[in-house]
Amino acid sequence: MVTNSSADSTSAALQVATDAVRIVLVGTTHAGNIGSSARAMKAMGFRQLAVVSPRHFPSADATAMASGADDLLADAHVTDSLEEALRGCAMVFGTTARDRHLQWPVISPAEAASEAVAAANRGPVAFVFGREASGLTNAELDLCQRAVRIPTEPTFSSLNLSQAVQICVYELRMAFLQQRLPSLPTAPGDAADPIAGASAIDLLHRHFIETMAAVGYFDPTNPRLLERRLKRLLIGANMRQSEAQIMRGFLTGIDRKLRRLSDAGSDD
Ligand code: SAH
């Protein structure tokens, strides 16, 4: 058999890159939408599908709508929690048809795709899609580092789930093919000190909340607003791993000092 080895190696490299992308469908009601999302993904070269608490799955409707992409359905990772579906991700994009109050900056699928290409060098990247009737909850969006909205007519913003998936995977394919990279500030040594991943930012965020509570800054009766604002600040900083470590070290220093003060107080 004659093969075009250059084209083969290009497509193999593309497959490795696109396998870093995980499409996560949360609480899907109509199994047919899972099938048509799988079809949308396969046509654009993506294979990693996760479904969180689907109402019906596996299902004949899903298989029918997959129309030949049933291998993705067979390999789909079915979980009970979004956290589990996102485990190990370097970056998580949550899609939403609505502007949400105090959500992260909302970006377009093309912008998200460029960021995803960059983040895929650090680990898996997830795009999360919500329920047909109600989308993603705020708690679910809180697990995402970016909110992605497909620009629509303002008065008719909600697309069919699998059509939203199609637009996002199309933009992802274009970005992976062109290796469009966002222009992050760079300095010598940056390659050895990558941008902190989602789990590092999450740990830092939790550490901040705990230490703020310990020093009496954090009002436990009204935690949501501060937690969100702080998360947004930490995500928006695009900090490097070493910078996140500086902050963790600083917070640990405060924790130690507080413990020493409280031990000294209890000696009195
Ligand atoms: N009524 C719901 C819409 C759900 S549509 C709501 O107001 O949120 C099902 C899913 O498709 C959404 O959760 C989202 O993941 C995706 N979706 C639909 N329209 C979209 C749009 N304009 N931009 C981004 N994602 C969209």
Side-chain angles (χ1 to χ4, degrees):
M1 190 173 70
V2 180
T3 59
N4 177 340
S5 63
S6 158
D8 283 354
S9 65
T10 305
S11 71
L14 184 62
Q15 190 66 67
V16 169
T18 53
D19 276 348
V21 175
R22 206 178 284 177
I23 299 296
V24 182
L25 307 181
V26 180
T28 311
T29 314
H30 300 292
N33 276 332
I34 302 178
S36 38
S37 297
R39 180 179 183 177
M41 288 170 63
K42 187 166 177 173
M44 294 297 128
F46 298 93
R47 307 192 285 204
Q48 308 299 324
L49 172 64
V51 282
V52 180
S53 307
R55 187 172 293 175
H56 307 288
F57 189 76
S59 134
D61 284 346
T63 308
M65 292 302 281
S67 197
D70 35 346
D71 50 333
L72 272 69
L73 299 181
D75 293 344
H77 182 202
V78 185
T79 73
D80 288 336
S81 80
L82 179 55
E83 283 89 342
E84 193 189 329
L86 299 179
R87 193 155 296 151
C89 280
M91 185 105 186
V92 181
F93 297 85
T95 58
T96 173
R98 285 173 285 160
D99 274 327
R100 312 250 181 166
H101 177 62
L102 203 75
Q103 257 312 322
W104 325 140
V106 177
I107 57 176
S108 71
E111 289 166 323
S114 293
E115 286 204 46
V117 169
N121 291 319
R122 294 184 275 120
V125 168
F127 274 66
V128 186
F129 296 84
R131 298 157 190 81
E132 290 90 335
S134 54
L136 294 168
T137 64
N138 282 335
E140 287 161 350
L141 276 167
D142 282 347
L143 298 173
C144 305
Q145 280 76 57
R146 299 280 187 276
V148 181
R149 197 157 65 82
I150 299 161
T152 58
E153 282 295 321
T155 53
F156 200 80
S157 65
S158 176
L159 275 69
N160 165 269
L161 169 61
S162 65
Q163 293 175 355
V165 171
Q166 183 74 79
I167 288 173
C168 291
V169 290
Y170 167 77
E171 290 292 356
L172 281 161
R173 182 176 178 82
M174 292 306 108
F176 274 103
L177 281 171
Q178 297 161 18
Q179 289 287 306
R180 287 197 316 250
L181 296 172
S183 51
L184 287 174
T186 54
D190 278 357
D193 184 16
I195 301 289
S199 58
I201 294 296
D202 208 43
L203 285 174
L204 176 60
H205 179 246
R206 265 185 253 163
H207 200 160
F208 256 111
I209 295 295
E210 281 164 19
T211 309
M212 283 171 151
V215 297
Y217 176 78
F218 185 62
D219 177 5
T221 60
N222 184 20
R224 298 298 294 167
L225 207 58
L226 176 66
E227 285 194 20
R228 284 238 176 103
R229 285 196 166 137
L230 182 63
K231 185 92 178 258
R232 191 164 133 165
L233 169 72
L234 296 176
I235 289 167
N238 261 331
M239 71 184 80
R240 300 197 169 273
Q241 282 175 1
S242 61
E243 293 162 344
Q245 274 159 14
I246 291 171
M247 298 223 209
R248 291 294 300 277
F250 170 63
L251 292 168
T252 303
I254 297 177
D255 298 342
R256 276 204 207 105
K257 188 90 175 176
L258 283 175
R259 262 198 305 278
R260 258 183 261 132
L261 284 173
S262 88
D263 289 351
S266 61
D267 286 347
D268 291 344

